[in-house]
Amino acid sequence: MAYTPFDLSGKVALITGGNSGIGLGMAEALVQAGAAVCVWGTNEQKNSAAVGHLRQFGEAVHALRCDVGDEAQVETAVAATLERFGRIDGCFANAGVGSRGLPFHETPTEDWQRVIRVNLDGVFYTFRAVLRHMIGREGGGTLVGTASGTAVMGAPRSEAYAATKGGLRSMMLGLALEYGRYGITANSIIPGWIETPMTEQRFQDERFASNVLKRITFRRWGTPQDFGGIAVYLMSDAARYHTGDTITIDGGLTKS
């Protein structure tokens, strides 16, 4: 008998911030593994482009415009996802915004709140709405939060971003303990420096690139596709006993 725990046929994945970067890399792999995928994003053009791209790999793909920092929009988008696909088996909270890089003592309150609103409040709104669905049915579910190396390392001029990612990591640990009884797993992923729209400007800084690349074992930046395998694994039956973990995928950066 063939070993097929990574076959996601019949399962549905929801990915916030799924229209580009790491989220889109996850979506590609999930569709290829047989899952139906709904991506959320705030940019309609990027949503449409993502759907067109993902349909190279499978037809069960949909996109919704949703600002995860808006509680009402999240509730509406979860309902629309369920109406479209009938279920949500895996939820990947991946949407996020970065800090502006200002000195901490010069950071305006509105900048701090802007990052908290999306990166932490947005995860809360999303998981809360999805959990109401998951605990009301058999089969459990998968929750995955995209954290950051800033959750475990100091990040000057990025304290707001780091605070949200550290908070997300702690949130996942609590969710793992609270909802394991329902067969729901909860894990976080810590990416390293990945080629995404958020990091494009940093990578153009030759001094920064030189200093960081030499600390990465593979001497290259990560790509969104480097996160496809972990997405499939965490949503698969192979991971049904894997919860409360923080999984680092950074090319060895934090070990250097």
Side-chain angles (χ1 to χ4, degrees):
M1 181 180 294
Y3 179 68
T4 60
F6 302 109
D7 181 1
L8 302 183
S9 299
K11 294 189 176 185
V12 178
L14 161 62
I15 308 173
T16 71
N19 61 14
S20 67
I22 290 172
L24 185 58
M26 291 177 169
E28 286 181 16
L30 292 166
V31 173
Q32 291 181 73
V37 171
C38 186
V39 298
W40 291 4
T42 57
N43 186 307
E44 292 279 19
Q45 288 186 322
K46 289 174 66 175
N47 284 354
S48 296
V51 169
H53 173 72
L54 293 172
R55 283 188 176 157
Q56 298 176 77
F57 312 112
E59 289 298 315
V61 179
H62 187 55
L64 291 171
R65 186 185 184 286
C66 180
D67 172 2
V68 296
D70 185 312
E71 181 178 4
Q73 286 191 40
V74 169
E75 293 289 338
T76 298
V78 167
T81 302
L82 290 171
E83 182 177 359
R84 176 82 179 208
F85 292 110
R87 58 191 293 135
I88 298 171
D89 299 283
C91 181
F92 296 78
N94 176 74
V97 296
S99 302
R100 289 175 56 196
L102 297 172
F104 185 76
H105 67 281
E106 296 178 3
T107 300
T109 299
E110 56 268 26
D111 279 17
W112 175 272
Q113 293 175 336
R114 174 184 62 87
V115 179
I116 299 291
R117 175 184 179 276
V118 175
N119 296 6
L120 203 52
D121 292 348
V123 177
F124 165 63
Y125 297 146
T126 301
F127 282 158
R128 182 181 62 178
V130 168
L131 278 165
R132 290 173 183 148
H133 161 69
M134 287 183 173
I135 64 176
R137 60 173 195 147
E138 294 184 4
T142 301
L143 303 178
V144 181
T146 301
S148 162
T150 61
V152 294
M153 299 186 298
R157 298 195 177 201
S158 294
E159 289 87 356
Y161 184 76
T164 63
K165 295 306 182 178
L168 181 149
R169 184 182 180 219
S170 295
M171 186 191 304
M172 302 313 294
L173 296 174
L175 292 174
L177 294 179
E178 185 172 355
Y179 292 97
R181 71 192 68 185
Y182 300 102
I184 297 168
T185 62
N187 296 283
S188 57
I189 296 171
I190 290 184
W193 284 103
I194 313 302
E195 292 181 321
T196 69
M198 188 182 292
T199 58
E200 184 178 9
Q201 188 171 355
R202 289 301 301 274
F203 291 174
Q204 292 174 356
D205 182 334
E206 292 185 8
R207 182 179 177 183
F208 169 82
S210 176
N211 287 338
V212 175
L213 277 173
K214 64 186 178 185
R215 296 172 54 202
I216 298 174
T217 301
F218 301 111
R219 300 299 190 267
R220 70 167 177 86
W221 305 120
T223 69
Q225 287 69 34
D226 290 324
F227 294 83
I230 194 65
V232 171
Y233 165 71
L234 288 175
M235 194 168 160
S236 75
D237 291 341
R240 62 183 179 272
Y241 201 61
H242 190 166
T243 196
D245 199 3
T246 301
I247 301 163
T248 303
I249 301 178
D250 67 355
L253 175 64
T254 53
K255 307 301 186 293
S256 64

